[in-house]
Amino acid sequence: MDYIGEHLLPGQLGHFFIVLSLVASLIATFSYFKSAQSKNDTDAAHWKKLARYAFLTEIVSVVAIFGILFYIIHGHLFEYKYAWQHSSRSLEFKYMLACFWEGQEGSFLLWSVWHCVLGVILIRTSKKWEAPVMTVISFAQFCLATMIAGIYIFGWKMGSNPFILLRDSGVLDNAPALHINGDITQGLRQDFMLSIKDGNDLNPLLQNYWMVIHPPVLFMGFASTIVPFAFAIAGLWKKKFGEWTKPGLPWALFSAAVLGVGIMMGAMWAYESLTFGGYWAWDPVENASLVPWLILVSGIHTTLIYKHTGHSLRATHLFFILVFGFILYSTFLTRTGILGETSVHAFTGEGSNLFIHILVVMALALIPAFVLFFSRYREIPSIQKEENSSSREFWMFIGSLVFFLSALVIIAITSIPVYNKIFGTKMAPPEKAEFTYNQIHVFVAIIIAVLTAVTQYLKYKETNTKYFLKKIMVPTIIAAIIATLILSLGDVNYKKETYGFMAAIWIAVACSVYGIVANAAYIWLGLKGKLKLSGGSISHFGFGLVLLGILISSSKKEVLSNNINGIPAPLDKNENPRENLTLVKGLTVDMGKYSITYEGDSSHPKKQLSFYKVRFKRKDGKEEFVLTPNSFVNYKGNEGLMSNPDSRHYWNHDVFTYITSISNPDKRQDTASYKPNSMKPGDSLFYSSGFIILQEVKKATDSLPEELFGKDGSLHEARLKVYSKNGTTYSIAPKLAFAKGGELGLPDTVLAENLVFQLQKVNPDNSIVLGVKESNAVMDYITLKAYKFPFINLLWGGILITAIGIIISMVRRIQLNRSSGTES
C-alpha cells in the first residue's frame, strides 16, 4: 500500500542494486575461483573475463547504493528509517556523510566501497595473482552484501536493509498511542507518517570534522588488510609459498600506514570530542582496532626476515591470516552489542540475527584459511638452522613476537564480555582498566624502543661484536645524555600509581629517546642521508616520537582546574570535585597562572546544544584567549550531561577544557517556593548540603529614614551562619522591614549553595519564621575541568612521520618489484 507523499522510487532502486550486488559478487567469486582452478589457459581467461564483468557490475551496484542512500539522507526523505534515524533538517551539509557510518548498514557499505577501489587496483596490477586473490576479495564483497540485504531466508533475516521504510521497520509497532484493540490501523499509520517532519539527528559527538574523515580512513585500513591476507591464501592455495611475499609486502605496508593513521585519527577525535581527559582510554572499540595493527606490523617484519634470510615464512602466513581474522573479530565485538556498557562508542547491535550472521561470516572466512594453512604447513619452506643471536633477523623476530603477545594480552582482556556470554560467567572488567593495560605495555614500550634503536645496526645472519659496538656507541652516548637531561629537568612522573611503575616510565622515556636518536643517526650515518632508502628508519624514528609523546603527555598531564573557591556542583560519579572548578557567570577566579571568567553562553539555533564562553587571561598580561566548550543534555537518547571539549594549542603543550556541570540545564524558570521554619536564637536547621544556625535577631528603630519607614517603622535582621558539608562557612542576614503600616522582606542569598533566605515573621520573644528556598536558578554557573597536556605534539607528529616512513618503504618495494620484473 502506498502512502501519500512517500518517495518510493529511491528505495526500490536501492533494493534492486542490493540484490544485483549480492548476485554479481557471488558470480565474481565463482568465476575467479574457476579461473584459478583451471589448468587450461583458455578456460582460465574466459572465466577471468566473466569474473571481471561481474566485479564491474558489483562496483556499479555499490556506487549506486551509496549514491541513492546519500540522496535519501540529503533530501530529508524521513519515510526511510535510515534517514529518520541518523539525520535531521538542521544537520549541516558537511556532516551528511557522517550519517552513513553512524549506522550499521552505512558502515558496511563504506567497507564495501573500499573493497571496490582495492579490487580495481588489483585487477590492473596483480597479473598472475589476480584470480586467486580476487576470489578472496569477491567473496568478502559477497559477505558484505549479505550484511545490507535484509532478506528473509526460512524466517531468518539476513542483514539489515538501509532502504527499509520507517512504517515497515517496526518503529510504529512500539508506539502504543497508535494501537486500537491491539492493532495499528492503516489510517493511523498514514497520519503518523505524515506528521513526521524531521529526523532523529546525528549523534552530536559525531558532528565533528574528525568523524567525517576518520571513519573512511579507518575503514580503508580495515578493508586493505584483506589484500595481504588474500595473497597469503593465494600462496598457500597455489603452493607458491614464498613468491606471494613480493607483491604482498607493499600492500601490507600500505595497510599498516592507513590503519595506523585511521586509529590515531580516532584518538584525535576522542581528544577533541570526548571527556575522559585524553586521546586513548583502552576502550574495547579502540583495542579492537589496535590489535590487528599490532599483528600486521609483526607480519611485515617477518616478511622482511623471510626476504633476506628465508626464515619465518610460516609465521608470516599465520600473522596475515590472524590480521584479517581479528578484523572480523573486532567487527563482531563492536557491532553485536556484546560489549554492552564496557565501551562508550560500540554499536548497540541488532540482536541475535547480527550476532549469528557475523559468526557465520567469520567461520566461512577463517575455517578454510586455517585448514589450508595447517594442511600446507609442512610444505611451507623452513630453514632448520636457528638464527644467530647476533643477527638482525633474530631480534626482528623477537620484536614481532613482542607485538604479537601484546596484541593477545589486549584482546584477552577486551574479550571478557565474550567469555561471560559463552560460558555464562560474571567476570568483571578490570576496575582500573587504564592501569591494567599500562603496567604491561610500559614494558612493551621499553623492549620495542630498544629493539628499534639497536636492531638496524646489526647485519642479517651474523654481526661482528666490535663492528656493532663501534656503530652503536655514539648514538648510545648521545641518547644517554639527552635522556638524563629530560628526566632530571623535565619532572617526568606519574604519581597516580606506584613508584615501581613511575620508575618503569623513566626507563621507557630513556629507551624512547634512544630509539629516536639511534634511528636519526642511522639515517645520516648508516644510509648516508638517502631518504628513499630510509623508510624503515624514518618510521622507527616516528614511532619513537609516538612513545615519547605518550609517556610525557600522560605522566606530566596536569590538572589546572583545582577547586579553590569551594563552590560544589553536581558532578558525575567519576569526577573528582577537587579537580572541577565552578565558575559563576561574570565572576573572575584564579586558575594557576590564569584568571578565568565565564562570560556567558549561546545556543545552537536548531539544536539543544549550548556553547559556553570562557575567557582566559594570563596574570602577567602576556596573553588572553577565549575557549568555547559546549554541552547538551538528554539529546539523541543520551542520559545526563554530554560535552565536547575545547583546547588551546601551543607548540609544547595544550590547554584542554570541558564542561562537567551546568546550572539549570533545561532552562526552566525558578519554580521553588519558600519553606517556612520556626526558629529561636541558637536553633539549627538542616538543608540538603549542610545546616544553618540562627545566631541572633536584631531590631533597629533609631536612625531609620522617616520618609521611608514612617514614625513607628522598624527593621529586623536575622543573623545566620550557613555551614556547608564541604567545610565552607557563610554569614548572611535576611531582613524584614515594617514601614508605614506595611511590611517588606529583604531576602539574602548564598549563591554557592543555591540558597535564598526570607525573614517572614518576627515574634515578641525574638523567635522568627524563616523562609528557606533551595533553587538551581539562584545563579548561572558552569563547572569546568581543565588539563595541561605537555608535548602532546610529539605524539601527533610521530604518527605522521611513522606513516610517511611506511609509505616510503612501500614505494621502495614497488619500485624494486618493477625493476626486477616481478609480477605485482
Side-chain angles (χ1 to χ4, degrees):
M1 178 177 178
D2 295 348
Y3 286 4
I4 298 171
E6 285 187 331
H7 302 78
L8 299 182
L9 182 59
Q12 292 167 349
L13 289 173
H15 283 292
F16 168 76
F17 282 113
I18 285 176
V19 174
L20 183 60
S21 169
L22 192 68
V23 174
S25 57
L26 185 60
I27 293 173
T29 303
F30 180 77
S31 301
Y32 270 125
F33 177 81
K34 291 293 290 183
S35 177
Q37 289 291 87
S38 296
K39 301 188 182 301
N40 183 292
D41 291 343
T42 303
D43 290 343
H46 283 307
W47 281 113
K48 185 186 293 185
K49 185 176 182 180
L50 176 59
R52 286 178 173 179
Y53 281 126
F55 195 82
L56 178 62
T57 304
E58 159 73 3
I59 293 172
V60 171
S61 300
V62 169
V63 172
I65 295 167
F66 194 93
I68 293 169
L69 188 56
F70 183 79
Y71 172 80
I72 288 173
I73 293 171
H74 181 260
H76 307 306
L77 305 185
F78 298 125
E79 57 265 41
Y80 292 96
K81 181 190 175 186
Y82 205 84
W84 172 80
Q85 189 172 17
H86 303 294
S87 69
S88 69
R89 295 186 182 278
S90 63
L91 187 66
E92 299 171 72
F93 177 78
K94 61 185 177 181
Y95 298 130
M96 288 287 179
L97 284 176
C99 297
F100 278 88
W101 27 93
E102 186 187 35
Q104 300 270 21
E105 302 92 334
S107 57
F108 281 126
L109 182 60
L110 177 62
W111 196 338
S112 186
V113 167
W114 286 131
H115 274 178
C116 290
V117 173
L118 296 172
V120 169
I121 298 172
L122 286 165
I123 288 172
R124 292 180 60 87
T125 62
S126 57
K127 298 182 181 178
K128 71 177 183 181
W129 293 100
E130 179 185 347
V133 168
M134 287 301 298
T135 300
V136 178
I137 305 293
S138 299
F139 181 70
Q141 282 293 81
F142 172 73
C143 292
L144 287 172
T146 65
M147 292 293 181
I148 60 172
I151 297 173
Y152 284 89
I153 302 176
F154 301 112
W156 176 68
K157 184 183 178 184
M158 181 176 70
S160 178
N161 193 312
F163 300 108
I164 190 171
L165 292 167
L166 181 60
R167 60 181 167 93
D168 296 330
S169 67
V171 171
L172 304 189
D173 297 333
N174 297 321
L178 301 181
H179 289 251
I180 297 178
N181 297 324
D183 298 317
I184 305 178
T185 66
Q186 292 296 334
L188 284 174
R189 277 184 187 271
Q190 178 157 327
D191 290 344
F192 181 79
M193 292 304 301
L194 288 172
S195 70
I196 296 176
K197 303 299 182 183
D198 205 351
N200 202 32
D201 202 12
L202 177 68
N203 189 321
L205 289 177
L206 301 184
Q207 294 180 36
N208 179 286
Y209 63 95
W210 283 114
M211 288 311 292
V212 177
I213 58 177
H214 154 59
V217 175
L218 184 67
F219 273 91
M220 170 57 95
F222 283 166
S224 63
T225 60
I226 197 174
V227 183
F229 168 78
F231 273 105
I233 294 300
L236 291 169
W237 177 7
K238 306 306 293 183
K239 296 188 178 181
K240 297 178 180 179
F241 299 108
E243 294 181 38
W244 68 268
T245 57
K246 283 188 177 181
L249 179 57
W251 282 104
L253 290 164
F254 171 79
S255 184
V258 176
L259 181 57
V261 169
I263 291 169
M264 295 316 296
M265 279 183 172
M268 295 188 81
W269 164 71
Y271 181 66
E272 293 196 4
S273 296
L274 301 182
T275 56
F276 54 73
Y279 44 82
W280 194 265
W282 294 107
D283 181 272
V285 172
E286 297 170 340
N287 297 348
S289 61
L290 178 63
V291 165
W293 185 84
L294 291 171
I295 301 175
L296 179 60
V297 172
S298 297
I300 289 170
H301 285 82
T302 55
T303 304
L304 292 171
I305 292 171
Y306 169 73
K307 289 179 68 64
H308 287 92
T309 68
H311 286 285
S312 302
L313 184 57
R314 289 173 175 172
T316 301
H317 281 93
L318 179 61
F319 284 149
F320 285 138
I321 292 172
L322 287 175
V323 168
F324 187 65
F326 277 111
I327 288 289
L328 296 179
Y329 183 62
S330 72
T331 304
F332 170 77
L333 285 178
T334 57
R335 293 171 183 276
T336 59
I338 199 168
L339 291 176
E341 297 180 356
T342 62
S343 174
V344 298
H345 47 225
F347 288 95
T348 56
E350 304 245 349
S352 60
N353 281 343
L354 187 63
F355 187 94
I356 296 170
H357 196 163
I358 295 179
L359 284 180
V360 170
V361 170
M362 289 176 64
L364 291 174
L366 297 179
I367 291 176
F370 280 112
V371 168
L372 196 58
F373 172 70
F374 287 112
S375 65
R376 299 275 202 267
Y377 185 81
R378 295 184 179 277
E379 300 177 57
I380 300 173
S382 176
I383 299 175
Q384 298 304 315
K385 181 183 176 181
E386 295 293 331
E387 298 98 327
N388 193 308
S389 60
S390 67
S391 66
R392 180 182 292 191
E393 65 269 21
F394 177 83
W395 294 106
M396 285 176 67
F397 186 79
I398 294 297
S400 300
L401 194 59
V402 169
F403 259 35
F404 177 59
L405 294 175
S406 168
L408 294 184
V409 169
I410 294 171
I411 205 64
I413 299 174
T414 303
S415 298
I416 288 176
V418 180
Y419 311 148
N420 292 337
K421 179 79 172 181
I422 295 174
F423 301 110
T425 56
K426 296 183 179 180
M427 288 189 294
E431 184 177 350
K432 299 173 69 175
E434 180 181 338
F435 182 60
T436 300
Y437 289 103
N438 287 346
Q439 67 180 338
I440 298 171
H441 286 85
V442 68
F443 296 103
V444 173
I446 291 170
I447 296 170
I448 294 299
V450 172
L451 289 177
T452 57
V454 303
T455 301
Q456 61 199 331
Y457 288 89
L458 298 170
K459 294 182 177 181
Y460 284 107
K461 298 185 178 179
E462 189 175 1
T463 307
N464 181 275
T465 303
K466 289 184 178 180
Y467 167 86
F468 171 71
L469 293 176
K470 179 182 177 182
K471 294 290 185 181
I472 200 67
M473 185 64 68
V474 173
T476 302
I477 294 172
I478 295 173
I481 294 171
I482 295 175
T484 301
L485 291 173
I486 291 174
L487 293 172
S488 59
L489 303 177
D491 189 29
V492 177
N493 58 67
Y494 196 82
K495 296 177 181 177
K496 289 169 60 176
E497 304 298 344
T498 64
Y499 287 108
F501 183 65
M502 188 163 67
I505 286 180
W506 291 343
I507 297 171
V509 167
C511 293
S512 300
V513 172
Y514 192 21
I516 294 167
V517 172
N519 280 283
Y522 190 77
I523 292 170
W524 299 111
L525 300 177
L527 298 172
K528 310 299 182 185
K530 298 177 181 178
L531 295 182
K532 290 183 179 181
L533 304 177
S534 306
S537 296
I538 292 172
S539 60
H540 291 159
F541 173 83
F543 192 70
L545 289 175
V546 169
L547 293 178
L548 187 62
I550 291 171
L551 292 165
I552 292 181
S553 65
S554 299
S555 62
K556 285 183 64 61
K557 183 172 73 173
E558 177 185 352
V559 176
L560 300 178
S561 52
N562 295 303
N563 193 337
I564 57 176
N565 59 16
I567 301 178
L571 298 171
D572 184 85
K573 63 181 180 180
N574 296 319
E575 290 289 353
N576 183 350
R578 294 181 179 273
E579 297 180 351
N580 291 266
L581 187 61
T582 298
L583 307 176
V584 178
K585 186 176 180 179
L587 297 181
T588 300
V589 299
D590 289 337
M591 189 183 79
K593 66 179 181 180
Y594 298 103
S595 296
I596 63 173
T597 308
Y598 164 40
E599 296 186 339
D601 62 86
S602 59
S603 299
H604 192 284
K606 297 182 180 180
K607 300 179 187 296
Q608 302 171 27
L609 184 66
S610 297
F611 298 84
Y612 299 92
K613 183 179 179 181
V614 182
R615 184 173 298 278
F616 286 69
K617 289 184 180 180
R618 288 234 333 222
K619 293 177 181 178
D620 58 12
K622 292 183 178 179
E623 185 185 22
E624 182 175 336
F625 59 90
V626 173
L627 295 180
T628 54
N630 66 68
S631 67
F632 47 95
V633 180
N634 293 329
Y635 181 24
K636 185 73 173 178
N638 297 307
E639 293 299 324
L641 183 72
M642 303 190 73
S643 300
N644 287 312
D646 196 11
S647 301
R648 177 75 169 181
H649 304 289
Y650 300 88
W651 73 270
N652 61 346
H653 72 278
D654 280 2
V655 175
F656 174 94
T657 64
Y658 64 93
I659 304 296
T660 54
S661 178
I662 58 176
S663 60
N664 206 20
D666 53 6
K667 302 298 181 185
R668 293 191 301 264
Q669 293 184 346
D670 181 18
T671 57
S673 58
Y674 289 103
K675 182 180 179 181
N677 299 273
S678 297
M679 300 182 71
K680 295 179 180 179
D683 285 354
S684 60
L685 175 68
F686 287 90
Y687 70 101
S688 62
S689 298
F691 63 94
I692 305 144
I693 295 179
L694 173 61
Q695 294 182 309
E696 60 178 332
V697 180
K698 286 202 168 187
K699 177 182 179 182
T701 55
D702 300 332
S703 304
L704 296 176
E706 188 173 331
E707 62 273 18
L708 292 179
F709 285 84
K711 292 183 178 180
D712 299 323
S714 62
L715 179 66
H716 297 263
E717 180 181 88
R719 296 189 177 180
L720 305 169
K721 276 282 190 187
V722 178
Y723 295 87
S724 169
K725 67 181 181 182
N726 68 357
T728 308
T729 305
Y730 307 91
S731 296
I732 57 167
K735 299 175 177 62
L736 179 62
F738 292 91
K740 297 181 178 180
E743 61 182 57
L744 175 67
L746 303 174
D748 202 354
T749 61
V750 181
L751 292 178
E753 298 294 299
N754 292 332
L755 289 173
V756 185
F757 297 93
Q758 183 185 62
L759 185 55
Q760 297 177 336
K761 184 178 181 181
V762 180
N763 299 312
D765 61 353
N766 262 4
S767 63
I768 64 171
V769 176
L770 180 69
V772 181
K773 178 168 69 171
E774 293 188 66
S775 172
N776 287 332
V778 172
M779 66 176 178
D780 194 0
Y781 73 87
I782 59 172
T783 304
L784 186 79
K785 190 162 190 177
Y787 286 110
K788 177 183 177 181
F789 279 99
F791 294 100
I792 195 169
N793 288 329
L794 285 176
L795 170 62
W796 308 132
I799 293 164
L800 182 61
I801 293 171
T802 302
I804 290 172
I806 295 174
I807 294 298
I808 290 173
S809 296
M810 180 194 75
V811 173
R812 173 68 175 164
R813 290 294 165 183
I814 292 173
Q815 291 173 341
L816 288 175
N817 288 349
R818 288 176 178 173
S819 63
S820 65
T822 303
E823 293 179 330
S824 57

